[in-house]
Each structure stands twice: as structure tokens, then as C-alpha cells.
Amino acid sequence: MNRTVEPRENFELSDLNTLHVPAVARFYQEVHTAGELAEALEWARNNDVDVLILGGGSNLVFNGDYQGLVVRICIRGCSWERVLGHEATLVLGAGENWHEAVLYATRAGYRGIENLALIPGTAGAAPVQNIGAYGVELCDTLVSVTALDRHSNTLVELTNKDCHFAYRDSLFKQSPGRYVITEIHLRLSREKPMQLGYRDLEEYLGDRPHEELEPIDVAEAVMAIRRRKLPDPGMIPNAGSFFKNPVVSEATFVKLKSGYPDIVGYPQIKGVKLAAAWLIDQVGWKGFRNERVGVHNRQALVLINHSAGTGRDILELADRIRESVKERFGVELEMEPGIVG
Ligand code: EPU
């Protein structure tokens, strides 16, 4: 049953973003169904205010207050569809917690998303930046998403191909504001080989015979690796990787490599992807902190709000890091989280 859409006013958002920076929404509404979502969007149109769609708040930086309507997607649901042989489709409401969904699927013996354990955020936010870790990306298993198309005001089904997935990129980033994801559909398998080749994972698994590993064993290994290197946003406010790994041309890579023989690069179909963490580490920012914000001391890609930092503090630090990397290596770093305000 749809509840009435009656936005709250002047709502504090610091608990709803994992960087824990202060920001106030002029209007705030939680929606639990696609119908409520449509109503909230209509309310915003009628009142002539902008809309910000919020999932787990783990991939954005509030640079001040938000003057429009913040719509928090709380659409639940977790069920299996089209169970055929060793394959099945997992259907997740956009408001489901991503990590809980990974545990649910892997405990049921299904493979495909075990490497994506412990990524913060919601299922509906996962396709936006095409979450990825340890050699797996969401687009490897996603068959389709259901979304509200704000142009036609109807629910549409977008296939994997429609979503234009790339490294940390998708249609939802390319056409910001057009689609609001309500549900995602993942094709998982009980038999598909798992991706165990990413260096950290391979090292962690050591001599364990791969044929004996269940998906939950791999999810647990990923969780242990992440806990060792990445701060838990529940304890230390952060937004995961703050920069994308930049892709440079092969010629640029060869030039960089001659000056910096240890530079970390992964060949792509076109160009070479550099490890942004390595670049930031080299220019000395890893472990930096001032009284409010800093850079994690075990993963240079992660910016941290140590104590009462604001979005502006975080963005100023990000700019200083980008400038140092640009100056030393001539490489532009692109921010991963979206900036609001
Ligand atoms: N490195 C450094 N200094 C550091 C950290 C790493 O020199 O402080 C070097 C490592 O030695 C390694 C290389 O950088 O050779 C890559 O490091 P890592 O394997 O930790 O991965 P990453 O490229 O830094 C990416 C994702 C992470 C994901 C890991 C594992 C991006 C922007 N980040 O990080 O995603 O967990 O791979 O797959 O692609 C996230 O998006 O929030 C996130 C944490």
C-alpha cells in the first residue's frame, strides 16, 4: 500500500552519507514503492524543486545544503526468478543493502557476485557506477534493471546493453537524472567458475584447492582483505575510492615507466590503466591528516573525515591531491563520487 508523500522539511543528512559531512535537505522523503517514487517526483514538479536520489549515500559528497527534495530509495525485495538448472535470477529492490544481498546469494551457493562483498551502498546504486572489485564488475552478472524514466514517467526495463557499462561508468552517469532505478536483476550460477586471479585474492587463498571453494568462502576472503586495507565507513567515515584509476595511452605509459620503473599499470584494450593509489602514495599523501580530514594510511585512494570535516574540506583535500599528481606525473585524476551542491 502506498503511503502518502509528505516531505519533511530541513532534514539533516549527515547520518545518510558515509562521509558523515553535514548537509541539510530543504525537503526529504523516503519512498518504499515505485508508486511512491512517482508521487514524490510529481510533488517535486508541482513545487518546482530539484530532486536528488539517495541510496546508501556512499558515493557522494555534500558540498553544502541541498535546496530541493532528497528522495531516499527504500524499495525492498529479494527473490529468485527463472530458476533453471544451475542458473537463477536474483531480483533485488533498489533499497536493499548490497552486501547483505551478496551474503544471501553466496550462502545459497550462487556464484557471480562473491568478489563484490562488503561494498557499501544499495543494490539500486550498484549499476550507477558499475561497482567492481577483485576482477569482477556488476555488469558481468546484471541482466537488466527496472527504472522509472523521468522523461516518459513510466517504468522501463533496461537490458545490460542498454546500460552502456564501462569501468565505474554507465548510462545512469551519462544521462544523470533521467532514470531512477527501482529493481535490479542478476543472473547467477551454481557452477560458473569464480574469478580468483586478482593478486590480493590469490595471495589470501594461498594453497587452498580452488575446486573446494564455495562462493561464501570467496566472499569471506574478500571481506577479510577489505577489512585489512579499507576503513569501515561505519567506524571511519569515508566514500571508498575517491578517484578512478586513470587510463593513459601506451606511449604515455612507456614514458612514465622510463622515469618511474615501479609504476603500476594494467594494459587495457585501449591504453593502460594506472593505479591511482600508487600515484597518490608516491607524492606523499598517504596517511596525511589535518585536524578534520585526511588520506587513509593503508589505501591512498580513500579520503577520510576524521572529525567534523565538511564536504568542502574533503573537496579541498581532493584538489590538492589532484594537483600534486598532475604536477609530478602529468596525469589527471577524476573523482569517483558525485558532488552535490
Ligand atoms: N597501491 C599503492 N598504494 C596504496 C594502495 C595501493 O601503491 O596506498 C598500489 C598497490 O600496490 C597495487 C595497486 O596500487 O599495486 C592497486 O591497488 P589495489 O589492488 O588495492 O586496487 P586499487 O586499484 O587501488 C581498485 C578499486 C577498489 C577495489 C580494488 C580491488 C578503483 C577506483 N578502486 O582499487 O574499489 O576494492 O581495486 O579490486 O577502481 C571503491 O571503488 O570504492 C573501491 C574500494
Side-chain angles (χ1 to χ4, degrees):
M1 197 186 76
N2 280 1
R3 303 163 179 83
T4 331
V5 164
E6 262 174 46
R8 297 164 69 170
E9 282 188 59
N10 299 322
F11 190 86
E12 177 55 50
L13 299 168
S14 55
D15 286 340
L16 296 183
N17 73 93
T18 61
L19 269 168
H20 244 284
V21 296
V24 172
R26 172 84 203 284
F27 300 105
Y28 173 83
Q29 178 71 46
E30 295 183 355
V31 297
H32 303 81
T33 62
E36 283 177 21
L37 168 63
E39 255 188 72
L41 297 176
E42 194 185 335
W43 185 95
R45 266 194 308 277
N46 292 340
N47 288 277
D48 202 20
V49 294
D50 290 339
V51 173
L52 172 72
I53 302 294
L54 190 64
S58 56
N59 206 41
L60 50 79
V61 185
F62 284 109
N63 187 21
D65 295 339
Y66 187 70
Q67 295 309 327
L69 170 68
V70 171
V71 177
R72 182 157 175 239
I73 306 294
C74 302
I75 301 171
R76 306 300 304 265
C78 179
S79 59
W80 295 101
E81 258 182 19
R82 291 189 279 278
V83 184
L84 254 184
H86 58 83
E87 290 203 338
T89 302
L90 180 62
V91 183
L92 296 170
E96 288 292 331
N97 175 279
W98 172 257
H99 174 64
E100 293 299 324
V102 171
L103 290 181
Y104 175 76
T106 51
R107 283 185 185 134
Y110 280 95
R111 300 154 177 235
I113 51 175
E114 54 283 350
N115 295 33
L116 305 181
L118 223 52
I119 294 184
T122 55
V128 177
Q129 56 157 333
N130 185 22
I131 57 170
Y134 308 102
V136 170
E137 289 184 320
L138 182 76
C139 65
D140 301 334
T141 50
L142 184 138
V143 274
S144 62
V145 308
T146 310
L148 200 136
D149 180 353
R150 292 175 68 193
H151 284 188
S152 61
N153 222 358
T154 54
L155 280 179
V156 292
E157 196 79 10
L158 300 167
T159 64
N160 181 303
K161 200 156 169 257
D162 295 334
C163 294
H164 298 157
F165 287 121
Y167 166 63
R168 295 296 196 272
D169 197 21
S170 72
L171 169 73
F172 311 105
K173 274 191 161 180
Q174 296 146 16
S175 308
R178 170 151 182 192
Y179 299 101
V180 185
I181 296 170
T182 57
E183 207 171 72
I184 71 169
H185 303 236
L186 308 176
R187 193 74 182 148
L188 305 178
S189 158
R190 285 177 181 277
E191 286 180 5
K192 205 174 116 187
M194 292 186 281
Q195 298 298 319
L196 308 174
Y198 195 90
R199 202 184 63 190
D200 282 358
L201 187 54
E202 204 171 35
E203 273 173 22
Y204 186 90
L205 294 170
D207 296 336
R208 289 182 70 175
H210 289 182
E211 60 284 1
E212 283 174 16
L213 291 171
E214 292 295 331
I216 187 65
D217 300 325
V218 176
E220 279 170 0
V222 166
M223 286 157 67
I225 297 166
R226 287 185 75 98
R227 287 192 172 120
R228 230 165 34 190
K229 290 199 165 179
L230 294 164
D232 174 355
M235 315 284 284
I236 304 175
N238 75 88
S241 296
F242 207 84
F243 301 100
K244 291 188 194 182
N245 285 331
V247 177
V248 297
S249 70
E250 231 160 282
T252 304
F253 182 69
V254 169
K255 222 161 104 196
L256 282 167
K257 183 104 183 147
S258 70
Y260 306 96
D262 295 338
I263 193 166
V264 182
Y266 313 96
Q268 307 293 293
I269 297 170
K270 239 177 140 189
V272 179
K273 192 193 270 179
L274 303 178
W278 187 89
L279 302 172
I280 298 168
D281 206 344
Q282 292 300 302
V283 288
W285 283 105
K286 189 172 178 173
F288 164 88
R289 62 177 292 173
N290 61 29
E291 62 282 8
R292 294 194 296 275
V293 296
V295 180
H296 189 49
N297 56 10
R298 273 170 284 151
Q299 172 42 290
L301 262 187
V302 179
L303 302 196
I304 286 168
N305 183 4
H306 283 296
S307 170
T310 62
R312 177 164 298 208
D313 292 325
I314 291 282
L315 293 171
E316 274 173 14
L317 175 59
D319 273 347
R320 291 174 66 194
I321 293 171
R322 286 169 69 173
E323 276 163 26
S324 313
V325 168
K326 173 86 180 156
E327 202 177 291
R328 169 87 66 92
F329 300 103
V331 173
E332 295 274 1
L333 290 183
E334 193 188 328
M335 274 181 47
E336 221 205 291
I339 303 175
V340 179

